[in-house]
Amino acid sequence: MKLLQWRPIRAKNKKLWFSSIPQQNPNPIHSPLFDNLAQLCHQKDLQKAMGVMNVIEDHHLRADPITYSSLIKLCIENRAVNEGRRIHRHLSDDDRPPKLFLSNSLLSMYVKFNLFEDARHLFDEMPERNVVSWTTLISALVHLDSREEAIDHLIAMLREGVRPNMYTFSSVLRACQTLRMLWSIHCCIIKCGLELDVFVRSSLIDVYSKYGDLEYGYQVFDEMATRDLVVWNSIIGGFAQSGDGYKALELFIGMKKAGFLANQSTLTSALRACTGIVTLEMGRQVHVHVLKYDRDLILNNALLDMYCKCGSLAEANAVFQRMKERDVISWSTMISGLAQNGRSIEALRLFESMKAAGPKPNYITMVGVLFACSHAGLVEDGWYYFNSMAKLFGIEPGREHYGCMVDLLGRAGKLEEALNFIDSMGFQPDCVIWRTLLGACRVHRNSCIAVHAAKEILKLEPEDEGTYILLSNIYADSRRWNDVEQVRKAMRDQGVRKEPGRSWMEVGKKAHVFIVGDFSHPEMDCIIKELNRLIGRITDVGYVPDVKFVLHDLEREQKEESLRYHSEKLAIAFGMMNSMHGKPIRIMKNLRICGDCHAFAKLTTKVENKTIIIRDPVRFHHFQDGICSCGDYW
DNA sequence: TTAGGGTTAG
């Protein structure tokens, strides 16, 4: 634990107060100046009030502490730093220390002015401190992200015999970022009898879900008899941020049923939940509620992100254009959104506009820019941005930027160069980097480097299912069936099982899930009929099932049969049966789309005059008129 | 006089 930073109360401090300015006795009379000062404070006329305070000081008088308290409040309201300091000096200019509550007011004033060193100095010099003094300082430390110091101060406070209250705990909980520490503080809260306080509970829910275990957070929420809006927001935000969008939306609906009106924070979390589970319809419904908060930047950024991640760039762009204010997050979201949806050139064009008129790019903006370069095969541009980002924007390339460069080189087929680049990095490559290279090896059929990359991944993550699948796909592509079998054996030995391909989509307000080889959907007979009709139509324009995407060594006929029922094909057929005129079919997929399904989707859009959008774990494929936005490069 | 909830990548 770090050495404690505060200074304990010393007797000499007390002496200081008594020896500083001994000119005048405490004034026993009541002056009309005091009434005047109190009235000016009431009228919120800071300038005149300060003038009167100066006169009072010139006469070595001292007004009522309540009046000074109002004056400090007035300074905070007006963000009048100099005046605030002036009052502090005036109050110190006496042989008696200010009342404790006045020192606390000054402390709070410094914290609100972000003058933490002044606050700490005052705190150190205070002859006595109560729970408010400690809580003010602890809360400031938490806001400054000095977590360890905040906890140190809580311990010091307990040692000095000051009992924390609900204010203290609702602040200090945010300083706990390990489950063990959370438990300790939670026990302390129970011992102090403060577990039922609604502020403490919302903090508990928030920190449990962020740093500990969402289940504990939910338990704290579930046990509550009386909940307020922030408590609901804490639990909805907890599920939304942890990726359980369904539960978050279920709670969002529960909150409305309980009679609460969603505010900006609720809606931001609801949008994040929609983003997580890619539910454009629900996202649009939430958008209706967002309209009344059209000046809220965070909420609009979340809306923008939802439309980007749900593959609706037209709606995302409409939001972006309408935004009354845009910050670096708005720009970065839009740039990444365009890049992920296969519109890299537009992403880079937008980046140029940002450089000309927008805020300064940050670390994440540059990840989006490099992502755009790599997905469009713009090797030279990628190198330029990578090499100049430190000089131009003061951003040193980090792990993610290196990852984008490996992707850029790998996609462009420069696999040796990518491998050398990995070797030249100043840090150990992680699984993400090796997986990126492995993906490129698959596209470019380089089984030699692929095996190297896969082995590196399996050294770091011996149970990584995706790597086994990718490796066996590479072998299958080269018809190395013995090697395929060996990979499958290694998977069995490690107890790793292939996650089945799963596609899902919304029709009406219902989600329909399709799993490869699973025919349990109630409309499956019609779906198969529709699928056969589509295959018949695209066969007329040259479709031949690309059997190399089938994992096992089967007879051709069996392979074709296996390909035919891939989950995305079932979903496309179902989408064709239910889609409305002019509306695209939107499908989500848990794994990368296979080459055959990619070709199937392209030809279907050509013969059926329909748009199909498939989102895989990394990007979108927008299929239209027989072409895909990814440029057949994924 | 002190307190709780929301946005961009990977």
Side-chain angles (χ1 to χ4, degrees), chain A residues 408-475:
Chain A
L408 177 85
L409 296 168
R411 280 167 183 277
K414 298 170 184 287
L415 297 170
E416 293 284 348
E417 206 178 319
L419 197 57
N420 292 336
F421 182 77
I422 292 175
D423 287 339
S424 71
M425 296 187 319
F427 52 87
Q428 283 294 102
D430 59 9
C431 273
V432 178
I433 300 248
W434 286 120
R435 217 170 273 137
T436 304
L437 185 66
L438 184 58
C441 291
R442 183 178 187 275
V443 174
H444 295 288
R445 310 267 196 275
N446 185 325
S447 50
C448 183
I449 296 181
V451 172
H452 175 67
K455 283 182 179 165
E456 291 296 329
I457 296 169
L458 295 174
K459 263 190 225 166
L460 297 164
E461 285 181 11
E463 291 176 13
D464 183 54
E465 175 203 310
T467 300
Y468 287 109
I469 302 296
L470 215 49
L471 191 57
S472 69
N473 279 347
I474 288 163
Y475 287 139

Side-chain angles (χ1 to χ4, degrees), chain A residues 344-352 369 372-373 378 381 385:
Chain A
S344 294
I345 304 296
E346 283 168 73
L348 295 176
R349 213 175 286 147
L350 191 67
F351 179 58
E352 291 305 317
V369 168
C373 293
L378 300 169
D381 297 71
Y385 288 124

Side-chain angles (χ1 to χ4, degrees), chain A residues 479-497:
Chain A
R479 296 177 165 72
R480 291 163 62 177
W481 304 117
N482 286 339
D483 290 326
V484 170
E485 189 42 46
Q486 277 203 346
V487 174
R488 287 170 54 76
K489 184 175 177 302
M491 283 174 83
R492 280 196 299 272
D493 293 347
Q494 285 286 340
V496 180
R497 291 188 58 191

Side-chain angles (χ1 to χ4, degrees), chain A residues 6-21:
Chain A
W6 84 96
R7 276 190 283 152
I9 295 168
R10 294 161 303 171
K12 73 171 186 184
N13 278 350
K14 289 192 176 171
K15 271 190 206 159
L16 250 177
W17 291 108
F18 285 95
S19 61
S20 51
I21 307 288

Side-chain angles (χ1 to χ4, degrees), chain A residues 58-73:
Chain A
D58 289 344
H59 289 80
H60 302 290
L61 297 172
R62 181 61 38 119
D64 183 60
I66 302 287
T67 309
Y68 288 118
S69 169
S70 309
L71 196 51
I72 294 168
K73 218 192 264 175

Side-chain angles (χ1 to χ4, degrees), chain A residues 530-543:
Chain A
E530 174 68 7
L531 182 56
N532 289 335
R533 183 187 73 80
L534 290 173
I535 290 174
R537 285 209 69 188
I538 62 175
T539 304
D540 292 343
V541 292
Y543 168 72

Side-chain angles (χ1 to χ4, degrees), chain A residues 245-316:
Chain A
Y246 291 104
K247 184 70 186 173
L249 290 175
E250 184 191 311
L251 286 160
F252 175 61
I253 292 161
M255 186 198 93
K256 288 204 284 187
K257 275 189 190 151
F260 289 92
L261 201 65
N263 69 1
Q264 295 98 312
S265 177
T266 332
L267 295 171
T268 305
S269 293
L271 285 170
R272 183 157 177 172
C274 296
T275 307
I277 55 175
V278 204
T279 163
L280 184 60
E281 277 314 311
M282 187 68 187
R284 284 180 180 140
Q285 285 179 39
V286 178
H287 187 169
V288 175
H289 300 282
V290 172
L291 294 172
K292 66 175 171 181
Y293 300 114
D294 67 339
R295 286 187 182 276
D296 190 305
L297 182 57
I298 296 178
L299 184 52
N300 274 293
N301 284 342
L303 187 65
L304 190 62
D305 189 46
M306 183 276 292
Y307 280 126
C308 285
K309 296 261 172 55
C310 289
S312 182
L313 280 183
E315 281 161 295

